[in-house]
Amino acid sequence: MSLNNLNQRALDALRPLLDDPAGYGVELHKTESKATIIDAGVNTPGSLEAGRIMAEVCLAGLARVEFTDLEINGKSLLGVAVTVAHPKLACMAAQYAGWAFKARDPEGADSYFAMGSGPARAAYAGEEIYAKLNYREDAQVAVLVLETGALPPDWACVKAAEKCGVAPENLYLLTAPTASLAGSVQVAGRIVETGMHKMFELGFDLDKVIAGFGVCPVAPVAKNDLRAIGRTNDAVLYGGKAWYTVKAQDSELEELLPNLPSSSSADYGTSFYQLFKRYDGDFYKIDPMLFSPAQVMVNNLESGRSFEAGKVDMTPVMEEYLS
């Protein structure tokens, strides 16, 4: 299958949930316009396995996500291991949660909002990042992952289909809140993507990244989404490790690496939930350079040298992470 068919790859990865929803603790809904909604945690318990599949769907089927046991600060934590092929496409063109999806009921005052990820973003291509990625997909189907506590109404599905240039019956929306089993797993599955996005923000050419691998704790499910956002971010920022294989000049990597891990940010050292409160609930006041793995390793195929920066240490957040 062509690499220009990310949505079809994602649909193939989604197939287990479509074929056996009850087995994975999810529910399927067909809207009036015939869009398919897969509820993996809004009104259903979901499951760890549904979250693992959700993570692979976000990555357009170009990655393998597996569960693993992590030993961090003397604690045994559930984690995921993520192996990514074609990291630029899988992580940035598909997985990155860059679509602030908004829709309004044409017949009333209702509105709907959710953060969107997955390869439907590449069909929409309305984010500025796609001009820099030099990528857009003319899709026949669209697969959109929504981090949300509310299922999208039909008019929101119609709007999403319109944005992606597909018929509503060819739109698949996979939904789960952050405070759910699937939500916790799919955020942990972004460990390679967070490093890729940091490289992007630092001006590194993502075409030079050949492969990626990462491990990250799966945060215990919190009582609400705000707490869950704190825990899942802490898992990445303090407990996540990512390895990248690149083809670049050593001088580029010597300049890049010190700025790549989360510890390069002035906001490092405080739990994400406490940071959120410090900045009066304004997510955009938090230093954007914080959002990256705790530890990053890079192997350069041009020279054979390896580089490393940061470290895994959940001491500053472990009490809140497990409370």
Side-chain angles (χ1 to χ4, degrees):
M1 187 186 301
S2 168
L3 285 176
N4 293 323
N5 208 343
L6 299 182
N7 280 279
Q8 184 60 54
R9 288 179 177 274
L11 182 57
D12 291 344
L14 180 61
R15 190 62 60 187
L17 300 187
L18 299 176
D19 291 344
D20 185 17
Y24 292 99
V26 308
E27 290 182 352
L28 303 186
H29 302 274
K30 280 286 186 182
T31 71
E32 184 179 349
S33 65
K34 296 186 169 52
T36 301
I37 298 174
I38 305 96
D39 179 0
V42 177
N43 298 314
T44 66
S47 63
L48 291 171
E49 186 65 5
R52 188 194 67 77
I53 293 170
M54 193 174 194
E56 291 189 343
V57 169
C58 284
L59 287 154
L62 291 172
R64 185 173 70 251
V65 180
E66 300 172 301
F67 290 107
T68 188
D69 174 60
L70 300 177
E71 182 83 16
I72 299 177
N73 295 109
K75 300 287 187 180
S76 181
L77 303 177
L78 173 65
V80 292
V82 184
T83 307
V84 184
H86 308 286
K88 176 183 170 180
L89 289 179
C91 295
M92 301 307 298
Q95 188 183 28
Y96 176 59
W99 187 359
F101 174 68
K102 301 175 184 177
R104 183 170 292 278
D105 181 359
E107 298 182 359
D110 288 344
S111 61
Y112 182 82
F113 172 80
M115 289 307 299
S117 59
R121 295 174 49 243
Y124 166 47
E127 303 163 39
E128 291 183 7
I129 192 173
Y130 283 94
K132 297 180 180 179
L133 293 175
N134 193 28
Y135 186 86
R136 179 167 187 164
E137 184 165 314
D138 182 14
Q140 302 303 306
V141 299
V143 182
L144 180 62
V145 177
L146 297 176
E147 194 167 345
T148 177
L151 299 182
D154 184 61
W155 44 263
C157 298
V158 171
K159 174 61 72 172
E162 178 185 309
K163 292 282 189 181
C164 295
V166 301
E169 59 263 32
N170 292 327
L171 176 70
Y172 297 82
L173 301 108
L174 180 52
T175 64
T178 312
S180 67
L181 285 169
S184 283
V185 175
Q186 70 91 8
V187 175
R190 297 175 184 274
I191 183 61
V192 175
E193 176 259 299
T194 56
M196 291 291 292
H197 186 255
K198 185 73 168 286
M199 291 184 207
F200 177 80
E201 290 294 324
L202 292 170
F204 187 74
D205 183 357
L206 299 187
D207 285 320
K208 296 180 178 181
V209 185
I210 309 304
F213 176 81
V215 294
C216 183
V218 173
V221 178
K223 63 182 179 181
N224 57 53
D225 275 346
L226 183 57
R227 288 283 186 179
I229 289 169
R231 289 183 183 180
T232 53
N233 274 281
D234 286 343
V236 174
L237 306 178
Y238 296 94
K241 296 193 288 186
W243 291 258
Y244 301 94
T245 304
V246 305
K247 292 186 72 172
Q249 297 299 309
D250 284 342
S251 58
E252 294 179 85
L253 301 178
E254 288 168 350
E255 181 179 352
L256 176 71
L257 261 291
N259 298 308
L260 205 46
S262 55
S263 55
S264 64
S265 167
D267 280 334
Y268 179 86
T270 303
S271 75
F272 194 85
Y273 178 73
Q274 295 302 327
L275 281 176
F276 206 69
K277 291 201 299 183
R278 177 191 297 175
Y279 293 119
D280 301 317
D282 189 342
F283 181 88
Y284 295 100
K285 289 183 180 179
I286 300 172
D287 180 10
M289 292 296 101
L290 178 67
F291 298 99
S292 50
Q295 188 173 17
V296 180
M297 287 69 68
V298 176
N299 173 219
N300 187 10
L301 295 182
E302 289 287 357
S303 66
R305 290 182 61 192
S306 294
F307 302 81
E308 181 178 338
K311 65 176 181 178
V312 168
D313 182 6
M314 293 189 69
T315 303
V317 300
M318 186 66 85
E319 183 177 351
E320 196 158 328
Y321 182 81
L322 294 176
S323 64

